[in-house]
Amino acid sequence: MIQKPRGTRDFLPDEMEARRSVEAKMREAGRRFGYREVSTPEFEDTELFTLRSGEGIMQEMYVFEDKGGRSMALRPEITAAVIRMYINEAKVAPKPLRWCYFADCFRYERPQKGRYRQFWQFGAELIGADTAIADAEVIMLAADALNATGVTWDLRVGHLAFMKNLLKDLEMVAQRRVMAHLDKKDFEGLETTLADMGKEDLAGSLSALAECRTPGEAFEIAGTIPEKERVEQMTGILDESGVLYSLNFGIARGLDYYTGMVFEGFAQNLGAENQIVGGGAYRLAHLFGGDDVASCGFAIGFDRVMVSLGDVQPAKDTIAGIVYTNEGRSFALAVARAFRAEGIRAEMDLMERGLGAQMAHASKSADFAVVIGKREADAGQVTLKNLHSGEQKALVPAAAIAEVKAYGAR
Ligand code: HAM
């Protein structure tokens, strides 16, 4: 028997319905903020991701050579692709651009609860607005999208300027190594790396930065930074907007493209893989041949949200089982069409079963049986049976439809 690839999942109809119901809440949050959905290819030139996405992601990428000898990668995230698309298709569009996506990503990671090789992200990218309120809007949208799902989580907001100021004397490569340790909260590795660089003294300040709870405390450690006003404005706007968050200037983020504000969210019941959202301000467009446009965005790990929510019960369809005889078939087809035209889920027997067997099946799978034999067909009526109460009546199709709809809306 052939099995699915490691780290991937199959979704049966119940699970797909649950996923779609939660997905719809996130999309709806995007819509309310004016973010319009975009879509990009599942695979891209490998270079798109190697340019700036960071060591971690590069090691986890699915890379292959296509028949033309080009190196291609399954997308490990969507941000780089969205910015490539912006440069290809929408460079001259009025700013800011508010885009969102719901898309699958691929990372060759060791699978465990909440960590998959194929997973879905709901994300947003705000392109061309370089202000404190733009940073704050992206955080507000992430918070709304997550809160709409009902997941319990907490939000941490930071800014890279503090850390970068402490690390400013290090080369870019060294800065990235240090920040990778911080991202993984690997303080032991951090100390070793800093010792190798002869910068032991930085370890204390960097871990103290992660403990600061106000911008003021962080300025004391990192010195006054040019971004001071921007950080204060952004936290002021977040406070005004009622978003619940805590500050954490130890957030480093695993991807290399971030430049300023960064944020992460964590669900309470997920164990080790509990980060359900990550994002921040970044610059990528200039690397892909565009102008140096400021952008800001986030991606929510949709699968982690689903794991955290547990058993999701989406609104159930009302189901009409069309139970019919040979003589009634033509009328039954017309009735099924009429039910479906009114948005009702109508299922006809496909097994050439007798009326009794069809009724038995309907009572297991449907809310109503719509019985159509010769007598009903001749009279232009159906016998509508409520399979929960057992109540049954002869009705013209329009009245039966109204009855089923009223049941669905109760
Ligand atoms: P990221 O932090 O790499 O950021 O991923 C975002 C979210 O995707 C994570 O917080 C996590 O919930 C989920 N995720 C990551 N890897 C896996 C996995 N293997 N299985 C399940 N879920 C996973 C980004 O991808 C950036 N593009 C976010 C962004 C958008 N920054 C700016 N704009």
Side-chain angles (χ1 to χ4, degrees):
M1 199 171 39
I2 298 176
Q3 300 289 346
K4 61 185 179 296
R6 200 164 126 75
T8 65
R9 287 147 303 150
D10 297 318
F11 302 107
L12 287 163
D14 280 349
E15 196 166 357
M16 267 326 280
E17 282 167 13
R19 288 171 69 89
R20 290 287 190 230
S21 71
V22 176
E23 183 186 320
K25 291 178 183 159
M26 294 192 182
R27 285 186 202 277
E28 176 53 22
R31 192 194 64 76
R32 285 194 302 254
F33 275 76
Y35 286 67
R36 299 176 66 207
E37 190 165 348
V38 293
S39 172
T40 64
E42 302 241 336
F43 58 95
E44 297 270 359
D45 276 347
T46 305
E47 204 190 356
L48 181 72
F49 304 110
T50 52
L51 275 173
R52 205 55 200 270
S53 292
E55 269 300 309
I57 270 205
M58 275 160 55
Q59 283 163 10
E60 289 162 2
M61 267 198 305
Y62 279 87
V63 178
F64 61 97
E65 195 174 289
D66 74 3
K67 290 195 167 67
R70 288 168 287 256
S71 179
M72 294 285 154
L74 296 184
R75 56 188 180 196
E77 57 116 28
I78 315 290
T79 308
V82 166
I83 297 303
R84 177 202 50 68
M85 175 170 73
Y86 155 73
I87 294 159
N88 295 162
E89 315 284 346
K91 225 171 21 188
V92 294
K95 308 285 184 310
L97 285 171
R98 290 184 167 101
W99 284 350
C100 67
Y101 47 83
F102 192 93
D104 55 349
C105 304
F106 304 85
R107 295 186 192 176
Y108 195 83
E109 299 194 79
R110 203 160 38 78
Q112 65 178 69
K113 180 182 169 193
R115 195 206 281 153
Y116 311 100
R117 290 184 175 175
Q118 182 196 21
F119 61 96
W120 275 259
Q121 287 186 341
F122 173 74
E125 310 297 343
L126 172 59
I127 302 168
D130 191 4
T131 57
I133 194 164
D135 290 345
E137 174 170 292
V138 162
I139 298 174
M140 285 187 254
L141 170 55
D144 261 28
L146 280 170
N147 291 338
T149 70
V151 75
T152 310
W153 66 295
D154 49 66
L155 170 63
R156 298 178 202 163
V157 179
H159 200 289
L160 293 180
F162 299 92
M163 209 176 268
K164 288 203 160 156
N165 199 42
L166 287 177
L167 300 176
K168 63 179 184 294
D169 297 334
L170 300 183
E171 306 248 321
M172 202 51 145
V173 186
Q175 281 192 18
R176 291 208 183 117
R177 274 179 62 201
V178 170
M179 288 171 72
H181 286 301
L182 286 166
D183 181 50
K184 295 197 189 84
K185 303 191 179 41
D186 168 19
F187 294 108
E188 231 171 86
L190 175 70
E191 280 185 27
T192 318
T193 298
L194 287 171
D196 288 350
M197 295 172 183
K199 296 277 179 191
E200 294 88 340
D201 50 315
L202 280 178
S205 322
L206 285 168
S207 33
L209 208 48
E211 303 300 318
C212 296
R213 289 295 165 261
T214 64
E217 288 170 32
F219 294 130
E220 269 174 38
I221 295 171
T224 300
I225 50 168
E227 292 83 353
K228 183 171 189 287
E229 206 179 319
R230 174 78 170 256
V231 173
E232 285 168 346
Q233 267 183 3
M234 183 196 64
T235 52
I237 294 168
L238 285 179
D239 294 340
E240 285 160 16
S241 72
V243 175
L244 297 176
Y245 70 101
S246 56
L247 285 171
N248 189 323
F249 297 106
I251 299 176
R253 303 286 299 134
L255 297 153
D256 281 349
Y257 47 63
Y258 295 103
T259 49
M261 179 279 287
V262 280
F263 69 103
E264 293 178 340
F266 298 87
Q268 283 167 358
N269 57 350
L270 283 183
E273 296 300 325
N274 63 346
Q275 194 186 307
I276 53 168
V277 62
Y282 61 92
R283 283 175 188 268
L284 272 176
H286 61 292
L287 293 175
F288 308 153
D291 46 348
D292 184 21
V293 66
S295 325
C296 183
F298 68 85
I300 292 174
F302 177 69
D303 306 86
R304 294 188 183 171
V305 172
M306 291 308 293
V307 174
S308 178
L309 287 173
D311 192 20
V312 174
Q313 294 292 343
K316 283 265 174 262
D317 265 349
T318 305
I319 307 173
I322 313 282
V323 170
Y324 61 100
T325 62
N326 261 345
E327 297 95 326
R329 190 187 64 206
S330 169
F331 186 52
L333 283 163
V335 169
R337 238 184 357 258
F339 269 67
R340 290 172 191 147
E342 289 294 326
I344 299 167
R345 182 167 149 188
E347 296 177 356
M348 288 188 70
D349 176 62
L350 306 176
M351 313 292 276
E352 302 183 347
R353 286 187 277 223
L355 277 189
Q358 287 186 51
M359 277 306 277
H361 178 72
S363 59
K364 279 183 262 161
S365 59
D367 301 291
F368 287 90
V370 183
V371 185
I372 302 169
K374 183 170 183 319
R375 188 164 44 93
E376 283 89 355
D378 288 346
Q381 288 194 329
V382 303
T383 300
L384 183 73
K385 180 169 183 183
N386 180 323
L387 294 165
H388 301 290
S389 67
E391 188 193 351
Q392 86 179 41
K393 13 183 153 158
L395 295 169
V396 294
I401 287 169
E403 185 108 347
V404 173
K405 273 192 172 170
Y407 175 86
R410 80 200 180 286

Short mmCIF file of all heavy atoms in Angstrom, two decimals, residues 139 153-159 210 212-215 234-235 238-239 243-249 251 262-264 266:
data_model
loop_
_atom_site.label_atom_id
_atom_site.label_comp_id
_atom_site.label_asym_id
_atom_site.label_seq_id
_atom_site.Cartn_x
_atom_site.Cartn_y
_atom_site.Cartn_z
N ILE A 139 -0.21 44.33 12.77
CA ILE A 139 -0.37 43.60 14.04
C ILE A 139 -1.85 43.47 14.39
O ILE A 139 -2.33 42.42 14.80
CB ILE A 139 0.40 44.31 15.18
CG1 ILE A 139 1.89 44.34 14.86
CG2 ILE A 139 0.15 43.62 16.51
CD1 ILE A 139 2.73 45.14 15.84
N TRP A 153 -4.28 32.75 22.72
CA TRP A 153 -2.88 32.98 22.34
C TRP A 153 -2.38 34.27 22.97
O TRP A 153 -3.18 35.05 23.48
CB TRP A 153 -2.76 33.06 20.81
CG TRP A 153 -3.47 34.27 20.22
CD1 TRP A 153 -4.81 34.52 20.23
CD2 TRP A 153 -2.85 35.39 19.59
NE1 TRP A 153 -5.07 35.72 19.63
CE2 TRP A 153 -3.89 36.28 19.22
CE3 TRP A 153 -1.54 35.74 19.28
CZ2 TRP A 153 -3.65 37.48 18.56
CZ3 TRP A 153 -1.29 36.93 18.63
CH2 TRP A 153 -2.34 37.79 18.27
N ASP A 154 -1.09 34.47 22.98
CA ASP A 154 -0.61 35.80 23.37
C ASP A 154 0.42 36.35 22.39
O ASP A 154 1.11 35.62 21.70
CB ASP A 154 -0.14 35.88 24.82
CG ASP A 154 0.80 34.79 25.18
OD1 ASP A 154 1.92 34.77 24.62
OD2 ASP A 154 0.39 33.94 25.98
N LEU A 155 0.42 37.68 22.36
CA LEU A 155 1.13 38.41 21.32
C LEU A 155 2.34 39.13 21.92
O LEU A 155 2.22 39.77 22.96
CB LEU A 155 0.14 39.44 20.73
CG LEU A 155 0.65 40.51 19.79
CD1 LEU A 155 1.23 39.89 18.53
CD2 LEU A 155 -0.49 41.46 19.42
N ARG A 156 3.48 38.98 21.25
CA ARG A 156 4.68 39.69 21.69
C ARG A 156 5.20 40.55 20.55
O ARG A 156 5.32 40.06 19.43
CB ARG A 156 5.75 38.70 22.10
CG ARG A 156 5.25 37.87 23.28
CD ARG A 156 6.22 36.85 23.72
NE ARG A 156 5.45 35.82 24.43
CZ ARG A 156 5.89 34.61 24.69
NH1 ARG A 156 7.10 34.26 24.30
NH2 ARG A 156 5.14 33.75 25.34
N VAL A 157 5.44 41.78 20.86
CA VAL A 157 5.87 42.73 19.84
C VAL A 157 7.26 43.26 20.20
O VAL A 157 7.52 43.56 21.36
CB VAL A 157 4.87 43.91 19.76
CG1 VAL A 157 5.31 44.94 18.73
CG2 VAL A 157 3.46 43.41 19.43
N GLY A 158 8.11 43.35 19.22
CA GLY A 158 9.45 43.88 19.47
C GLY A 158 9.93 44.75 18.33
O GLY A 158 9.16 45.13 17.43
N HIS A 159 11.20 45.09 18.35
CA HIS A 159 11.80 45.89 17.29
C HIS A 159 13.26 45.50 17.21
O HIS A 159 13.94 45.41 18.24
CB HIS A 159 11.65 47.39 17.60
CG HIS A 159 11.78 48.25 16.39
ND1 HIS A 159 12.98 48.44 15.76
CD2 HIS A 159 10.87 48.97 15.69
CE1 HIS A 159 12.80 49.24 14.71
NE2 HIS A 159 11.51 49.57 14.65
N ALA A 210 15.75 40.89 26.23
CA ALA A 210 14.57 40.03 26.13
C ALA A 210 13.67 40.17 27.35
O ALA A 210 12.49 39.82 27.30
CB ALA A 210 15.01 38.58 25.95
N CYS A 212 13.13 43.15 28.95
CA CYS A 212 12.55 44.50 29.06
C CYS A 212 11.07 44.48 28.76
O CYS A 212 10.64 43.83 27.83
CB CYS A 212 13.19 45.45 28.05
SG CYS A 212 14.90 45.70 28.33
N ARG A 213 10.31 45.25 29.52
CA ARG A 213 8.88 45.28 29.27
C ARG A 213 8.38 46.65 28.81
O ARG A 213 7.21 46.82 28.51
CB ARG A 213 8.12 44.83 30.54
CG ARG A 213 8.27 43.34 30.82
CD ARG A 213 7.63 42.46 29.71
NE ARG A 213 8.08 41.09 29.78
CZ ARG A 213 9.06 40.55 29.03
NH1 ARG A 213 9.68 41.29 28.13
NH2 ARG A 213 9.40 39.30 29.15
N THR A 214 9.29 47.63 28.77
CA THR A 214 8.91 48.94 28.24
C THR A 214 10.01 49.40 27.28
O THR A 214 11.17 49.00 27.44
CB THR A 214 8.79 50.00 29.36
OG1 THR A 214 10.09 50.16 29.94
CG2 THR A 214 7.80 49.59 30.43
N PRO A 215 9.67 50.27 26.30
CA PRO A 215 10.72 50.78 25.42
C PRO A 215 11.80 51.49 26.24
O PRO A 215 12.99 51.35 25.96
CB PRO A 215 9.98 51.77 24.51
CG PRO A 215 8.54 51.36 24.54
CD PRO A 215 8.33 50.75 25.90
N MET A 234 4.51 53.56 17.60
CA MET A 234 3.82 52.31 17.29
C MET A 234 3.19 51.71 18.55
O MET A 234 2.04 51.29 18.53
CB MET A 234 4.79 51.30 16.69
CG MET A 234 4.09 50.03 16.30
SD MET A 234 5.20 48.68 16.01
CE MET A 234 5.93 48.44 17.58
N THR A 235 3.94 51.70 19.64
CA THR A 235 3.36 51.12 20.86
C THR A 235 2.18 51.99 21.33
O THR A 235 1.18 51.46 21.81
CB THR A 235 4.41 50.96 21.98
OG1 THR A 235 5.08 52.21 22.15
CG2 THR A 235 5.43 49.90 21.64
N LEU A 238 -0.77 50.98 19.22
CA LEU A 238 -1.28 49.67 19.66
C LEU A 238 -2.09 49.81 20.95
O LEU A 238 -3.14 49.20 21.10
CB LEU A 238 -0.12 48.69 19.88
CG LEU A 238 0.54 48.12 18.63
CD1 LEU A 238 1.69 47.19 19.01
CD2 LEU A 238 -0.46 47.38 17.74
N ASP A 239 -1.59 50.64 21.86
CA ASP A 239 -2.33 50.86 23.11
C ASP A 239 -3.70 51.47 22.81
O ASP A 239 -4.71 51.04 23.36
CB ASP A 239 -1.54 51.77 24.06
CG ASP A 239 -0.25 51.10 24.53
OD1 ASP A 239 -0.16 49.86 24.44
OD2 ASP A 239 0.68 51.83 24.96
N VAL A 243 -5.33 46.50 21.28
CA VAL A 243 -4.72 45.18 21.07
C VAL A 243 -4.01 44.75 22.36
O VAL A 243 -3.34 45.56 23.00
CB VAL A 243 -3.65 45.25 19.93
CG1 VAL A 243 -2.93 43.93 19.77
CG2 VAL A 243 -4.31 45.66 18.62
N LEU A 244 -4.20 43.50 22.74
CA LEU A 244 -3.52 43.00 23.93
C LEU A 244 -2.17 42.44 23.52
O LEU A 244 -2.10 41.55 22.68
CB LEU A 244 -4.34 41.90 24.60
CG LEU A 244 -5.71 42.32 25.12
CD1 LEU A 244 -6.47 41.13 25.67
CD2 LEU A 244 -5.55 43.41 26.18
N TYR A 245 -1.09 42.96 24.09
CA TYR A 245 0.24 42.49 23.70
C TYR A 245 1.23 42.74 24.83
O TYR A 245 0.95 43.51 25.74
CB TYR A 245 0.72 43.21 22.42
CG TYR A 245 1.06 44.67 22.65
CD1 TYR A 245 2.39 45.08 22.78
CD2 TYR A 245 0.06 45.62 22.76
CE1 TYR A 245 2.70 46.42 23.00
CE2 TYR A 245 0.37 46.96 22.98
CZ TYR A 245 1.69 47.35 23.10
OH TYR A 245 1.98 48.67 23.35
N SER A 246 2.35 42.08 24.73
CA SER A 246 3.46 42.47 25.61
C SER A 246 4.65 42.78 24.74
O SER A 246 4.75 42.29 23.61
CB SER A 246 3.77 41.38 26.63
OG SER A 246 4.03 40.17 25.97
N LEU A 247 5.55 43.61 25.27
CA LEU A 247 6.74 43.96 24.49
C LEU A 247 7.81 42.91 24.72
O LEU A 247 7.93 42.37 25.83
CB LEU A 247 7.26 45.33 24.92
CG LEU A 247 6.44 46.51 24.42
CD1 LEU A 247 6.91 47.79 25.09
CD2 LEU A 247 6.54 46.64 22.90
N ASN A 248 8.54 42.58 23.68
CA ASN A 248 9.68 41.67 23.86
C ASN A 248 10.75 42.03 22.83
O ASN A 248 10.59 41.76 21.64
CB ASN A 248 9.22 40.22 23.68
CG ASN A 248 10.31 39.26 24.06
OD1 ASN A 248 11.50 39.52 23.79
ND2 ASN A 248 9.96 38.17 24.70
N PHE A 249 11.81 42.66 23.33
CA PHE A 249 12.86 43.11 22.41
C PHE A 249 13.92 42.03 22.18
O PHE A 249 14.96 42.28 21.62
CB PHE A 249 13.46 44.43 22.90
CG PHE A 249 12.44 45.52 22.92
CD1 PHE A 249 11.91 45.98 24.13
CD2 PHE A 249 11.96 46.05 21.73
CE1 PHE A 249 10.94 46.97 24.14
CE2 PHE A 249 10.99 47.04 21.74
CZ PHE A 249 10.48 47.50 22.95
N ILE A 251 12.91 39.34 20.49
CA ILE A 251 12.45 38.65 19.28
C ILE A 251 13.42 38.94 18.14
O ILE A 251 13.70 40.10 17.83
CB ILE A 251 11.04 39.14 18.87
CG1 ILE A 251 10.02 38.85 19.96
CG2 ILE A 251 10.62 38.50 17.55
CD1 ILE A 251 8.63 39.40 19.67
N VAL A 262 9.03 43.72 14.75
CA VAL A 262 8.83 42.27 14.58
C VAL A 262 7.82 41.81 15.63
O VAL A 262 7.71 42.42 16.69
CB VAL A 262 10.15 41.48 14.77
CG1 VAL A 262 11.03 41.52 13.53
CG2 VAL A 262 10.93 41.95 15.99
N PHE A 263 7.07 40.78 15.30
CA PHE A 263 6.14 40.26 16.32
C PHE A 263 5.91 38.77 16.14
O PHE A 263 6.11 38.22 15.06
CB PHE A 263 4.82 41.04 16.32
CG PHE A 263 3.94 40.83 15.11
CD1 PHE A 263 2.82 40.00 15.19
CD2 PHE A 263 4.20 41.47 13.91
CE1 PHE A 263 1.98 39.83 14.08
CE2 PHE A 263 3.38 41.30 12.80
CZ PHE A 263 2.27 40.48 12.89
N GLU A 264 5.50 38.15 17.24
CA GLU A 264 5.22 36.72 17.23
C GLU A 264 4.05 36.44 18.17
O GLU A 264 3.83 37.19 19.12
CB GLU A 264 6.45 35.94 17.74
CG GLU A 264 7.61 36.03 16.77
CD GLU A 264 8.89 35.32 17.21
OE1 GLU A 264 9.05 35.06 18.41
OE2 GLU A 264 9.70 35.05 16.33
N PHE A 266 1.91 33.21 20.31
CA PHE A 266 2.05 31.84 20.80
C PHE A 266 0.73 31.33 21.36
O PHE A 266 0.07 32.04 22.12
CB PHE A 266 3.11 31.80 21.91
CG PHE A 266 4.46 32.24 21.40
CD1 PHE A 266 4.81 33.59 21.39
CD2 PHE A 266 5.35 31.32 20.87
CE1 PHE A 266 6.03 34.00 20.88
CE2 PHE A 266 6.58 31.73 20.36
CZ PHE A 266 6.92 33.07 20.36
#
